[in-house]
Amino acid sequence: MEIKHVKNELLFKTNSWTFIAILIGLIIFLPISEVFIQLFNTSESWPHLKKTVFSTYLINTIVLTIGTGLLSTLIGVFCAWVIACCEFPLKKFFEWALILPLAIPTYVSAYAYFDILELSNPILIWVRENINLEAMQSLNSFFVYFFTILVLSSVLYPYIYLLARASFLKQGNQLIEAGLSLGHNINEIFWKIALPMARPAVFAGLSLVIMETLNDYGAVKHFGIPTFTSGIFRTWLGMGDMSGALKLAAYLMLLILILLLIEKKARSRARYHENSGSNKPFKKIILSRKKSIITITLCSIPFLFGFLIPVFRLSLWAFISQDAIRSISILSLVKNSLFLSVAVSLLTVVLALLLVFSAKYFQSKLTSFTNRFAILGYSVPGAVIAMGILLLSAQINKIYVDIILSGSLLILIFAFITRFFAVAWQPIDSGMERNCKNINDASRSLGIPAIFSLIKVNIPLIKNTLITASILVFIDSMKELPLTLILRPFNFNTLSTATFDLSSQAQIVESSVPALCIIMIVAIPLISLNLKGKSKLQ
Amino acid sequence: MIKNLNKYHFLLASLLTLIVTAPISAQINLYTHRHYDSDKILFEKFTKETGIKINVIKGSADQLIQRMISEGKNSPADILLTVDAGRLHRAKEAGVLQSINSKTINKNVPSEMRDPDGFWYGLTVRARVIVYAKDRINSNELSTYEDLATAKWKGKIAIRSSGNIYNQSLMASLIEANGSRRALRWAIGVRKNMARAPRGNDRDQVRAVAAGLADIAVVNTYYLGILANSKEKKDRDVFNKVSVFFPNQNNRGTHINISGAGIAKYSKNKSDAIKFIEFLTSAEAQETFGKVNYEYPLFIENNKSDLLKGWGTFKADKQNLSILGIRNSEAVKLFDRADWK
């Protein structure tokens, strides 16, 4: 973006829509900018960090991100394809079962699996006795990476599954029929037609997975992998060097920014305009007996690892700690979590809609540009956003009397919006790109008022996307931990903070009770989301 | 117009006053890193005895300190409670605590377990001990922390990540005792002796010993109490396979750390807050900490918990604990240089 363009846009193209959108985008970005500025600040321990641990953090982060991204894409796309386009026994079950792992926060999943890693002990001891210590240690490290990637992917792949499946369903079978009639077999159709067409959706899902991976602190801490995020905490908490931690965070964001720009470039090279999806019932590919068995087995694996095993173990723990249920005021926890998540989800979706629409409808490059800043929050660990907000409120406190800034519910909600803006933005952006582009081009050239176009055309067209977006934000808010931990007001606890409090006082068994509540509450909208998607798209 | 504005200002001001001063009954606001049942029991007891209500915000110590810094003069906090002396020292340095002088507290807290300037006070004590596999290791093979860096322990030690504050404090005490060059060599030696790359918490190190993956582990006594009293039989079995050894008994003593509290600089309920700390350091409260939470009392010899008694008495390092804070960042940097994850 060149200065000349910015100036031109500001002078000639800004209207009240884009102006407000740019302003909101910048406000959402404010806590992050507090962190970004730290790139240019000096930190005492920075030379030390650069010399000793920086490269370790970078390599581990990249390994985890690539591993989790690949595995999640593999699982997500495979499941999306067979569910959307094939017919086999138990398909109806897997259709919603495969989404359920999304209900489990990564830290809860890591807890559930932590001592399962102990199962590898006999193997490790055997290797030490029969080969040598070094072989055991290498094998141990391999297990740790392997399990971490597995644990992360098994609860994150649904992001890709959901978006890719919606895309496959939307493509309709006209393309498949066309492909078949041209003599391609189903494999070729998948690789040459369906997958390239679904690429924007897969990329959108993948970027969510990558951001979640970069954000994770609980799982990497438990498995002892030093990543950027755990390095941020270590520098902040361990060395008491907030500016060093913020500098690490700033570099992490730089990395994300580069990734996002690459993704944008990759997507803009190929633009996909489709007529609104085929409403004809979808004719499925019927799988043979042998293929059905293979498909069922493959679909069972992510469901088993991502949902059934953790939930089974948590339930077992909840059962043996029934007396704990009485001592935790579970009802008020549920109430607080619900209130917070609903408020955040509604506000975030409304704001995201406004920002995406303003950018697209008026083809405002400047708004697109500030939007890109507003979504950075999702790639920033929750605790870092909280740090940004603390810095911000310290600055504002210097000018005004502090009434509501730190430790109020409002500031917590604002922090959540900064954190989860991308979750709503991504699907709304790709939804509007796919569904509203042509119509908006037309209505603009006809001089129809923007508000009319937004309410009468865009919203109905992407209603499902909006619902999906709000559910995704709701789910993330229910699961969110570090932000709430730092910024929660007095005597305000949520299910996630209760889970954390209990497990950090070594009551992992008792923490299963609020953890299960999160899973159950999140599972309901997940299933309804699935039903909605089905009735509309099939 | 101006009249209206004044009216508006007046309304706003009175509204703000309402918000700020609404709660009238006696209460203190507590920022705490601790989340234990013992605390809950003690808070309730205190409220019952004095009528002073206790509001709690839990969080990690550094996040709470950061919060106090940004809240500045408007901070509602009266007391900061943490589980490590290093953090209390950092809070003092950050200027969020204030010095107090209470005869009762000074009598209740040994001088090495409180800040020389009266900014913070210890409440409970934990010892960082060596745990060993009963069936494979004889206690006379063990001696000091320093010994763990010798080649005889190659591939036998389980110890958690250097990101953990208890390890950082142990390292700080080693720097203080032996100087930073020897401390760095120690860290490199222990890193080379590890059975596996560090992961998990203290209990997981004990589990690794019980499973045969390692022979000895360095852990906090408090976590052994949790294992011993766990609802899961598996955990109790783990506990039964190991024994406790107190290192450095023939020289400076075993490394200890405290959980402690300080009064917030801008506390609006200072006298009630002091009362609260007096209560927590009283003999009665000290007994509750030991029994419910397996922590040693401030005067270790007064310990009444059967579990802790079973391990016998020990000599504790008498170094003033503020050193753990002063040496903390140096400790972390040495760990980084030793490539101790």
Side-chain angles (χ1 to χ4, degrees):
Chain A
M1 186 111 201
E2 288 163 41
I3 306 286
K4 210 176 80 192
H5 282 152
V6 176
K7 202 176 145 198
N8 275 343
E9 252 203 71
L10 278 175
L11 285 177
F12 304 114
K13 281 182 77 178
T14 309
N15 56 29
S16 53
W17 283 85
T18 51
F19 180 74
I20 290 172
I22 289 166
L23 201 66
I24 292 175
L26 290 177
I27 291 174
I28 292 174
F29 176 64
L30 213 51
I32 306 164
S33 71
E34 287 284 336
V35 180
F36 234 136
I37 290 168
Q38 305 294 324
L39 259 184
F40 312 102
N41 277 4
T42 50
S43 144
E44 225 183 284
S45 52
W46 186 244
H48 164 81
L49 289 173
K50 234 165 58 179
K51 211 173 84 193
T52 54
V53 285
F54 188 81
S55 59
T56 315
Y57 293 158
L58 193 65
I59 291 166
N60 280 333
T61 303
I62 289 173
V63 169
L64 270 192
T65 309
I66 292 178
T68 310
L70 278 179
L71 191 57
S72 302
T73 308
L74 211 67
I75 302 170
V77 171
F78 172 80
C79 292
W81 173 249
V82 294
I83 296 290
C85 303
C86 302
E87 197 59 69
F88 57 95
L90 290 178
K91 195 196 94 166
K92 286 223 152 52
F93 165 75
F94 280 117
E95 194 166 347
W96 58 269
L98 282 169
I99 303 175
L100 289 176
L102 206 54
I104 302 184
T106 47
Y107 55 89
V108 170
S109 169
Y111 271 133
Y113 278 115
F114 190 82
D115 62 343
I116 280 189
L117 203 50
E118 310 277 318
L119 291 178
S120 66
N121 284 347
I123 305 173
L124 292 174
I125 291 170
W126 186 89
V127 170
R128 187 182 62 194
E129 241 101 89
N130 292 284
I131 307 174
N132 58 27
L133 183 68
E134 284 69 32
M136 182 203 95
Q137 285 168 335
S138 316
L139 187 66
N140 178 54
S141 303
F142 168 78
F143 274 137
V144 169
Y145 279 96
F146 177 76
F147 268 94
T148 311
I149 289 172
L150 198 70
V151 163
L152 289 174
S153 308
S154 67
V155 294
L156 294 179
Y157 80 87
Y159 283 117
I160 296 173
Y161 165 70
L162 265 173
L163 294 169
R165 191 188 66 177
S167 168
F168 286 139
L169 285 173
K170 193 105 194 188
Q171 283 173 19
N173 63 346
Q174 293 151 320
L175 283 167
I176 294 176
E177 276 168 9
L180 286 172
S181 70
L182 286 171
H184 292 292
N185 66 30
I186 204 70
N187 271 338
E188 287 171 340
I189 290 170
F190 172 76
W191 289 108
K192 291 193 174 145
I193 302 171
L195 190 59
M197 293 278 299
R199 215 176 67 182
V202 174
F203 269 112
L206 181 63
S207 57
L208 290 176
V209 170
I210 288 175
M211 287 170 183
E212 280 284 3
T213 309
L214 293 172
N215 172 61
D216 174 78
Y217 173 56
V220 292
K221 195 182 164 212
H222 279 287
F223 289 103
I225 298 180
T227 62
F228 251 116
T229 308
S230 61
I232 290 165
F233 277 84
R234 178 194 173 91
T235 311
W236 182 26
L237 305 184
M239 295 192 207
D241 177 15
M242 192 164 175
S243 56
L246 286 165
K247 224 169 145 76
L248 277 178
Y251 273 95
L252 176 60
M253 282 195 293
L254 201 65
L255 189 78
I256 304 292
L257 194 66
I258 294 167
L259 280 178
L260 285 173
L261 289 175
I262 293 172
E263 192 233 320
K264 176 82 182 165
K265 234 280 66 102
R267 248 205 275 185
S268 69
R269 226 177 276 143
R271 272 172 63 176
Y272 305 90
H273 292 284
E274 286 164 42
N275 305 318
S276 52
S278 142
N279 288 326
K280 275 202 291 181
F282 205 105
K283 212 196 273 163
K284 308 278 165 150
I285 303 151
I286 296 167
L287 295 183
S288 68
R289 210 180 129 84
K290 203 176 122 198
K291 275 190 174 167
S292 290
I293 292 171
I294 296 171
T295 307
I296 290 170
T297 316
L298 288 176
C299 285
S300 306
I301 295 171
F303 174 61
L304 209 66
F305 275 93
F307 191 76
L308 214 56
I309 293 175
V311 168
F312 178 73
R313 301 202 82 205
L314 291 173
S315 309
L316 219 61
W317 289 340
F319 184 74
I320 61 169
S321 60
Q322 278 167 338
D323 50 330
I325 300 172
R326 256 163 282 142
S327 70
I328 311 164
S329 46
I330 211 82
L331 215 65
S332 88
L333 293 177
V334 171
K335 218 175 66 191
N336 286 346
S337 281
L338 278 178
F339 168 75
L340 188 63
S341 306
V342 168
V344 167
S345 126
L346 291 179
L347 279 169
T348 310
V349 167
V350 168
L351 291 177
L353 177 67
L354 181 71
L355 264 59
V356 171
F357 178 77
S358 303
K360 292 217 180 294
Y361 190 84
F362 299 102
Q363 297 179 323
S364 161
K365 275 192 181 154
L366 190 59
T367 315
S368 300
F369 192 63
T370 51
N371 280 358
R372 290 274 155 187
F373 279 98
I375 62 171
L376 277 177
Y378 195 57
S379 57
V380 184
V384 174
I385 291 184
M387 285 158 87
I389 285 193
L390 289 175
L391 283 176
L392 196 67
S393 82
Q395 283 160 3
I396 295 174
N397 278 354
K398 278 181 198 148
I399 311 164
Y400 298 103
V401 187
D402 175 279
I403 315 154
I404 54 157
L405 268 177
S406 150
S408 88
L409 212 49
L410 276 179
I411 205 70
L412 188 61
I413 290 173
F414 172 57
F416 265 75
I417 293 173
T418 298
R419 174 78 182 86
F420 293 129
F421 191 73
V423 180
W425 186 87
Q426 286 278 12
I428 293 175
D429 185 68
S430 67
M432 224 178 244
E433 180 78 26
R434 286 164 108 260
N435 299 316
C436 312
K437 179 94 180 91
N438 295 341
I439 271 184
N440 281 349
D441 287 351
S443 69
R444 197 177 45 251
S445 61
L446 290 172
I448 292 167
I451 184 78
F452 186 83
S453 181
L454 174 66
I455 291 170
K456 293 277 175 183
V457 182
N458 285 263
I459 291 178
L461 269 177
I462 57 163
K463 203 177 86 195
N464 268 358
T465 311
L466 292 177
I467 293 169
T468 307
S470 60
I471 288 178
L472 289 174
V473 177
F474 175 84
I475 289 165
D476 269 330
S477 307
M478 282 297 295
K479 299 194 295 189
E480 206 289 328
L481 179 65
L483 258 189
T484 330
L485 267 185
I486 300 176
L487 296 173
R488 63 184 150 165
F490 267 112
N491 303 329
F492 183 86
N493 280 300
T494 63
L495 288 168
S496 66
T497 62
T499 306
F500 174 82
D501 286 344
L502 285 166
S503 54
S504 64
Q505 54 180 305
Q507 294 179 302
I508 295 183
V509 171
E510 286 81 356
S511 77
S512 60
V513 178
L516 275 175
C517 284
I518 297 178
I519 297 173
M520 283 189 301
I521 292 176
V522 169
I524 296 166
L526 270 180
I527 292 171
S528 81
L529 166 93
N530 184 58
L531 292 175
K532 233 183 198 81
K534 213 169 91 183
S535 66
K536 174 81 186 172
L537 292 169
Q538 291 203 335
Chain B
M1 181 64 194
I2 288 168
K3 214 173 162 188
N4 279 343
L5 205 66
N6 279 339
K7 210 180 200 170
Y8 172 71
H9 269 172
F10 175 72
L11 261 172
L12 195 70
S14 41
L15 199 71
L16 292 185
T17 326
L18 258 179
I19 294 171
V20 174
T21 59
I24 311 156
S25 63
Q27 57 182 329
I28 47 179
N29 296 326
L30 189 67
Y31 281 17
T32 180
H33 186 114
R34 292 172 58 99
H35 9 57
Y36 308 128
D37 286 343
S38 58
D39 297 36
K40 220 169 158 187
I41 294 168
L42 288 170
F43 296 171
E44 279 161 16
K45 213 175 210 170
F46 179 72
T47 305
K48 220 166 132 193
E49 281 175 17
T50 60
I52 300 167
K53 199 182 154 218
I54 296 171
N55 295 318
V56 176
I57 283 195
K58 294 172 186 168
S60 91
D62 286 270
Q63 294 164 356
L64 293 172
I65 293 169
Q66 194 54 47
R67 183 162 171 171
M68 288 167 84
I69 294 170
S70 50
E71 285 165 347
K73 281 183 190 160
N74 305 297
S75 174
D78 293 308
I79 292 181
L80 175 72
L81 239 167
T82 78
V83 290
D84 172 82
R87 293 288 170 272
L88 287 166
H89 176 79
R90 190 168 291 165
K92 176 192 173 190
E93 295 284 288
V96 296
L97 298 181
Q98 61 173 299
S99 169
I100 57 162
N101 196 358
S102 150
K103 273 191 187 147
T104 316
I105 300 178
N106 286 346
K107 192 180 84 213
N108 288 348
V109 184
S111 65
E112 72 270 18
M113 296 184 194
R114 53 182 145 97
D115 179 50
D117 307 321
F119 280 81
W120 51 260
Y121 296 86
L123 298 175
T124 66
V125 176
R126 298 112 175 265
R128 197 138 183 87
V129 297
I130 298 175
V131 155
Y132 60 96
K134 276 183 198 168
D135 56 338
R136 298 189 295 282
I137 299 291
N138 193 318
S139 68
N140 54 30
E141 293 173 62
L142 294 158
S143 57
T144 58
Y145 296 111
E146 286 82 353
D147 178 58
L148 299 179
T150 57
K152 75 173 183 195
W153 297 112
K154 187 166 170 54
K156 294 192 170 157
I157 302 177
I159 186 164
R160 72 197 285 186
S161 138
S162 64
N164 173 255
I165 186 72
Y166 304 130
N167 276 350
Q168 291 166 9
S169 287
L170 173 62
M171 184 67 168
S173 81
L174 283 161
I175 297 171
E176 183 65 19
N178 304 328
S180 53
R181 285 228 338 250
R182 281 180 63 195
L184 174 62
R185 250 181 288 147
W186 176 82
I188 294 171
V190 173
R191 194 253 300 152
K192 284 182 178 159
N193 286 344
M194 287 178 190
R196 60 169 188 202
R199 73 157 188 263
N201 56 30
D202 276 4
R203 271 160 298 146
D204 297 309
Q205 315 311 317
V206 185
R207 287 189 185 115
V209 171
L213 210 60
D215 287 344
I216 55 175
V218 180
V219 297
N220 209 320
T221 43
Y222 154 73
Y223 290 100
L224 290 167
I226 293 176
L227 278 176
N229 292 285
S230 170
K231 278 179 189 138
E232 287 210 273
K233 188 174 171 296
K234 227 170 72 185
D235 283 348
R236 298 196 299 272
D237 289 345
V238 164
F239 176 77
N240 290 327
K241 282 187 182 159
V242 299
S243 281
V244 172
F245 180 83
F246 291 98
N248 295 65
Q249 290 303 293
N250 296 326
N251 50 36
R252 65 180 183 277
T254 299
H255 167 66
I256 56 163
N257 204 335
I258 50 151
S259 186
I263 309 262
K265 186 170 185 189
Y266 298 107
S267 164
K268 281 142 200 109
N269 308 296
K270 189 176 166 185
S271 65
D272 285 345
I274 292 176
K275 255 187 234 163
F276 183 59
I277 295 181
E278 286 173 349
F279 168 78
L280 291 178
T281 54
S282 69
E284 181 198 3
Q286 289 288 303
E287 204 178 320
T288 308
F289 280 130
K291 285 196 171 146
V292 183
N293 211 34
Y294 331 113
E295 292 176 288
Y296 284 101
L298 291 163
F299 289 96
I300 296 168
E301 59 277 12
N302 290 349
N303 156 46
K304 293 213 171 59
S305 148
D306 292 334
L307 176 80
L308 303 187
K309 271 189 195 161
W311 298 331
T313 53
F314 69 97
K315 178 182 167 192
D317 190 349
K318 290 275 182 201
Q319 183 56 248
N320 188 288
L321 294 177
S322 58
I323 209 72
L324 306 185
I326 296 166
R327 297 272 190 206
N328 178 272
S329 71
E330 192 183 351
V332 175
K333 283 181 183 169
L334 290 182
F335 273 139
D336 280 346
R337 282 172 62 191
D339 197 25
W340 179 328
K341 277 181 191 166

